[in-house]
Amino acid sequence: MTERADRAERPGAAARRTAAQPERDPEAVSRFVERFAAQLVEAGVPRMPARVFAALLASDAGTLTSAELGERLRVSPAAVSGAVRYLAQVHMVSREREPGSRRERYRVHGDQWYEALTSREAVIKRWEHALREGVDSLGATTPAGRRLAETLAFFEFVDTEIVAMMVRWRARREELFGSP
Amino acid sequence: MTERADRAERPGAAARRTAAQPERDPEAVSRFVERFAAQLVEAGVPRMPARVFAALLASDAGTLTSAELGERLRVSPAAVSGAVRYLAQVHMVSREREPGSRRERYRVHGDQWYEALTSREAVIKRWEHALREGVDSLGATTPAGRRLAETLAFFEFVDTEIVAMMVRWRARREELFGSP
DNA sequence: CGCTTCTTTCACAAACTTGTGAAGTTAAGG
DNA sequence: CCTTAACTTCACAAGTTTGTGAAAGAAGCG
């Protein structure tokens, strides 16, 4: 990826923008969405969920309807549906029904998704389980068994550390951004 | 000379098995390898690299040659080659040339790979970069911009925390397992 | 109630991944 | 030097994954 500084905007633009715009410069938003989504994809998130998620992140309200998502990402309702199902399953978004409309609204929990992402509780638990089995069946006193046991200990350590870390984060966040 | 690896054994364990096993019960090893690999796959690691990595983890010496890997996993040399290239790129294994032979030896750095896995330095750095761009182009004072800024702050926080955490881990590890 | 609007499900085609055999490359050992 | 063992690269076939259009399924609103 080369340096293609195609800025659609000049410094003044941000100031000029006023309440009239439903979302700021769709160009810029889309650029961010695609770039951030690409990074998520590299980290192992399936593509469409990554794009949907990035779009939600970049929305002012932090919520979008299925229709809005389809429109912004230029994909079919079916694709949105699938992506949202995935994201809900891994707790990166939640769905809310808007009372008085059959529209569904998807929301990124600004302050929860990255906690989920970082800790990956379920994933780590399964690793630990597999490692424990390995230690048992290879024998805790064999060189390989010892290696597995150490790895297991590491993940257990991380588990507890992350809990503490998130506590510190919430404190720091308050300090930086004020109370939620 | 292929079979001189994997032999630093304990008396008790050796008694239960027949003395001449090149690796402990290949059945059990293979079962662990496939199960652990499956978990890695679920976490986003490509299949063959995951299997190769698990096989190395479960080897007593912590190293295997390309030929040994191919044999244990029942795959072609080409597959091993590709998998190893991937793993080396993400620093989960390193390759060493055995002097006096054209065999290459792949090693899992018992105490480094999970550090790499956990911190995912490069990945997080790229996320931060994408987020910074996003804050800039959406405007730091817009709601969406603020959300991105907070996410960015979180990752920066995690960066520094993880460094400290790994220091604590090394201490704990020594305490649990003695010096490296 | 039934119309209308929105969402989900399903079968399938296109696009991408993976692993293979075979040919190519490198370097040890005669 | 030439042979040969060991690994790598390449083109391609098999197998997945993805996203779509079409049709069916909810749910407000008249």
Side-chain angles (χ1 to χ4, degrees):
Chain A
M1 306 102 234
T2 350
E3 258 297 274
R4 230 237 107 183
D6 69 331
R7 301 178 119 268
E9 286 203 359
R10 276 142 252 276
R16 254 200 331 281
R17 255 186 322 252
T18 39
Q21 220 110 343
E23 252 287 331
R24 47 231 66 252
D25 183 7
E27 253 301 308
V29 174
S30 173
R31 205 164 51 239
F32 167 74
V33 167
E34 297 306 330
R35 285 187 189 170
F36 193 67
Q39 298 305 326
L40 292 176
V41 168
E42 281 212 9
V45 182
R47 177 179 340 203
M48 190 57 66
R51 295 181 69 210
V52 165
F53 182 76
L56 282 169
L57 246 202
S59 71
D60 268 337
T63 73
L64 291 171
T65 64
S66 183
E68 291 170 323
L69 283 166
E71 185 191 311
R72 291 179 192 206
L73 301 175
R74 307 301 194 73
V75 291
S76 69
V80 174
S81 175
V84 161
R85 180 169 6 134
Y86 173 94
L87 290 169
Q89 212 151 27
V90 301
H91 303 106
M92 283 171 72
V93 311
S94 60
R95 37 212 322 166
E96 5 187 287
R97 257 226 198 57
E98 237 176 286
S101 158
R102 52 242 147 240
R103 287 198 148 136
E104 197 116 18
R105 201 157 257 293
Y106 306 111
R107 151 163 285 133
V108 55
H109 276 1
D111 57 335
Q112 266 176 240
W113 78 269
Y114 39 74
E115 306 196 11
L117 225 186
T118 305
S119 65
R120 304 280 272 301
E121 265 221 48
V123 176
I124 292 191
K125 282 284 179 277
R126 285 201 306 271
W127 287 10
E128 290 180 0
H129 184 254
L131 286 168
R132 229 169 257 125
E133 276 191 349
V135 174
D136 280 1
S137 72
L138 300 197
T141 62
T142 64
R146 258 181 271 123
R147 182 179 310 109
L148 297 186
E150 183 188 307
T151 303
L152 174 56
F154 173 73
F155 285 119
E156 288 171 342
F157 174 78
V158 167
D159 268 356
T160 66
E161 282 280 316
I162 283 197
V163 173
M165 182 176 90
M166 291 316 301
V167 171
R168 288 194 293 278
W169 162 245
R170 279 185 274 272
R172 173 134 181 75
R173 170 163 157 259
E174 193 120 340
E175 178 193 323
L176 287 173
F177 300 97
S179 50
Chain B
M1 28 80 116
T2 310
E3 295 307 315
R4 77 114 137 54
D6 281 343
R7 210 82 107 52
E9 287 209 354
R10 284 313 164 69
R16 264 204 324 284
R17 251 167 279 112
T18 28
Q21 218 104 338
E23 251 286 331
R24 51 229 64 254
D25 183 7
E27 254 304 305
V29 174
S30 173
R31 205 165 50 242
F32 166 74
V33 167
E34 296 307 329
R35 284 186 190 171
F36 193 67
Q39 297 306 328
L40 292 176
V41 168
E42 280 212 12
V45 182
R47 210 174 116 82
M48 188 56 64
R51 296 181 70 213
V52 165
F53 183 75
L56 281 169
L57 245 201
S59 71
D60 269 335
T63 72
L64 291 172
T65 64
S66 183
E68 291 169 326
L69 283 166
E71 184 190 312
R72 290 178 193 205
L73 302 175
R74 306 300 192 78
V75 292
S76 70
V80 174
S81 175
V84 161
R85 182 168 7 134
Y86 174 94
L87 291 169
Q89 211 152 27
V90 300
H91 302 107
M92 284 173 72
V93 309
S94 60
R95 37 213 322 167
E96 1 187 291
R97 260 226 196 58
E98 243 179 280
S101 157
R102 53 240 144 240
R103 283 196 152 137
E104 197 117 18
R105 201 155 255 294
Y106 306 112
R107 148 163 287 131
V108 55
H109 275 4
D111 57 335
Q112 267 175 241
W113 78 269
Y114 40 73
E115 305 194 12
L117 225 188
T118 306
S119 66
R120 307 279 271 300
E121 265 221 49
V123 176
I124 292 191
K125 282 284 179 277
R126 286 202 304 271
W127 287 10
E128 290 181 0
H129 184 254
L131 285 167
R132 228 167 261 126
E133 277 191 350
V135 174
D136 279 1
S137 73
L138 301 196
T141 61
T142 65
R146 257 181 272 121
R147 182 179 311 109
L148 298 185
E150 184 188 309
T151 303
L152 175 56
F154 173 73
F155 285 119
E156 288 170 343
F157 175 78
V158 167
D159 268 357
T160 66
E161 283 280 316
I162 283 199
V163 172
M165 183 176 89
M166 292 315 302
V167 170
R168 289 194 291 279
W169 160 246
R170 279 184 274 272
R172 174 134 181 75
R173 171 164 157 257
E174 193 121 339
E175 176 192 323
L176 288 174
F177 300 98
S179 45

